[in-house]
Amino acid sequence: MQYQIGHADLCLVLALVRGRSLARAAELLQVDVSTIFRAIRRLEAALGVALFEKSRRGYTPTDTAQALAEQAERAELALDAARVALEQGKQVVSGTVRLTCTDAVLSNLLLPALARFMPNYPALALELVTSNDFANLSRRDADVALRLTRQPPEHLVGRRLGAVSYVVCARADGQDRSDLPRQSWIAPDESMPDHATVVWRLDHLPGVVPSYRCSSMSAVAQLTAAGLGVAALPDFILRGRPELHAISEPLPGCDTELWLLTRPDCRSLRSVQTLFEELSKALMSEG
């Protein structure tokens, strides 16, 4: 039979990954060095793979050992959360949720929200993927999506968190930016030909040729904040960038909505439910 790895094995690997030496691993596990040495040799023989490479710098973990150590850390977090839950009489929220969003939503909305509540869920792990479409959820590459859209796909379920407008923005440097056709424009590149701001610019400023094109709205915002020109950006970016200011009213036809979405088979998971409630509270308060 294939060897069934146990909790003690994971603790052993994690200690050596953290300690990088037999002596430090022995100290972490409160055993002697010879015990660590024999245990690692036995585990490698049982698994049929090398877990560490010995060198003058100590024990360097292989990819297999690194993967086992990551699982061990998750187990460690889950145990810590269980102990806290028993002490406080609360249920533990655990597991891994894969969440997808655009890079602009990630840096300006999601990360500040996560910083508020994730410390309260030590056994909940998130895997974050930046993408501009819904294919991730459809292919089951992700469990939850935070998306800007006016029409979320019918096969997904979720919650509308608020409205988002786009405005033309510039660095607050005192320059006269009122003549928009004469400005240096920063815009999405050909990877986003149907982006609402691209459509708006082609309709309202057909003679403008952007000086800079970027593969993400986050990059567009960064170039604008650096004073390289003007750009049409979602209003939520302005809240986190005081160096930027709006130089137009909301652009007609560009209004959209922020949606938190998941697949129907995921909505009953406690981890997903918790993420929905916490993100809803954090992001709806932003609006």
Side-chain angles (χ1 to χ4, degrees):
M1 286 182 60
Q2 186 177 6
Y3 180 76
Q4 298 294 313
I5 196 165
H7 181 258
D9 298 325
L10 291 178
C11 291
L12 172 67
V13 172
L14 181 59
L16 196 47
V17 167
R18 287 174 171 172
R20 297 301 175 101
S21 71
L22 295 177
R24 179 57 181 151
E27 182 181 340
L28 291 172
L29 294 179
Q30 298 183 333
V31 296
D32 56 63
V33 172
S34 61
T35 299
I36 297 292
F37 178 76
R38 290 194 302 269
I40 284 293
R41 293 289 295 274
R42 283 197 300 267
L43 182 57
E44 288 181 326
L47 295 175
V49 295
L51 296 175
F52 295 90
E53 296 177 359
K54 180 69 169 67
S55 68
R56 292 182 178 179
R57 293 178 297 176
Y59 281 73
T60 302
T62 63
D63 290 344
T64 300
Q66 200 66 54
L68 290 175
E70 290 175 5
Q71 296 300 324
E73 287 182 329
R74 292 180 182 178
E76 190 176 66
L77 289 173
L79 284 172
D80 288 342
R83 295 187 186 102
V84 171
L86 286 173
E87 292 173 2
Q88 300 180 357
K90 297 179 180 178
Q91 289 183 292
V92 180
V93 179
S94 62
T96 299
V97 178
R98 193 170 176 84
L99 189 153
T100 179
C101 63
T102 65
D103 57 349
V105 170
L106 174 71
S107 57
N108 294 279
L109 292 177
L110 181 60
L111 293 184
L114 294 180
R116 297 184 198 176
F117 66 82
M118 280 301 288
N120 298 324
Y121 301 96
L124 180 61
L126 294 186
E127 295 180 357
L128 303 178
V129 181
T130 54
S131 169
N132 290 312
D133 56 41
F134 291 101
N136 301 73
L137 265 72
S138 301
R139 294 194 307 264
R140 298 176 179 265
D141 292 339
D143 307 308
V144 174
L146 193 57
R147 284 284 181 258
L148 296 176
T149 181
R150 282 180 292 203
Q151 292 183 319
E154 293 183 358
H155 65 279
L156 300 178
V157 294
R159 185 175 298 170
R160 179 187 179 278
L161 300 183
V164 175
S165 297
Y166 282 82
V167 291
V168 179
C169 301
R171 183 177 176 86
D173 52 13
Q175 295 188 46
D176 182 9
R177 304 282 190 178
S178 58
D179 190 358
L180 293 183
R182 297 179 63 86
Q183 300 301 316
S184 176
W185 277 81
I186 306 161
D189 65 13
E190 61 277 1
S191 67
M192 293 183 279
D194 300 323
H195 196 276
T197 61
V198 174
V199 175
W200 174 86
R201 192 188 74 249
L202 293 175
D203 286 345
H204 292 79
L205 300 171
V208 167
V209 177
S211 301
Y212 304 91
R213 296 180 189 269
C214 306
S215 61
S216 71
M217 292 305 293
S218 184
V220 171
Q222 290 177 32
L223 267 66
T224 309
L228 295 177
V230 303
L233 294 169
D235 54 10
F236 61 77
I237 286 183
L238 292 177
R239 293 198 290 267
R241 287 187 172 274
E243 69 274 26
L244 290 176
H245 72 132
I247 59 174
S248 78
E249 295 298 318
L251 303 180
C254 292
D255 289 351
T256 187
E257 298 172 337
L258 180 65
W259 282 81
L260 187 59
L261 301 160
T262 188
R263 304 191 311 271
D265 60 301
C266 288
R267 63 181 173 181
S268 62
L269 297 175
R270 182 170 172 77
S271 56
V272 170
Q273 289 177 350
T274 299
L275 197 60
F276 257 63
E277 293 305 317
E278 293 288 4
L279 282 175
S280 296
K281 287 189 292 185
L283 296 179
M284 290 179 77
S285 66
E286 286 293 326

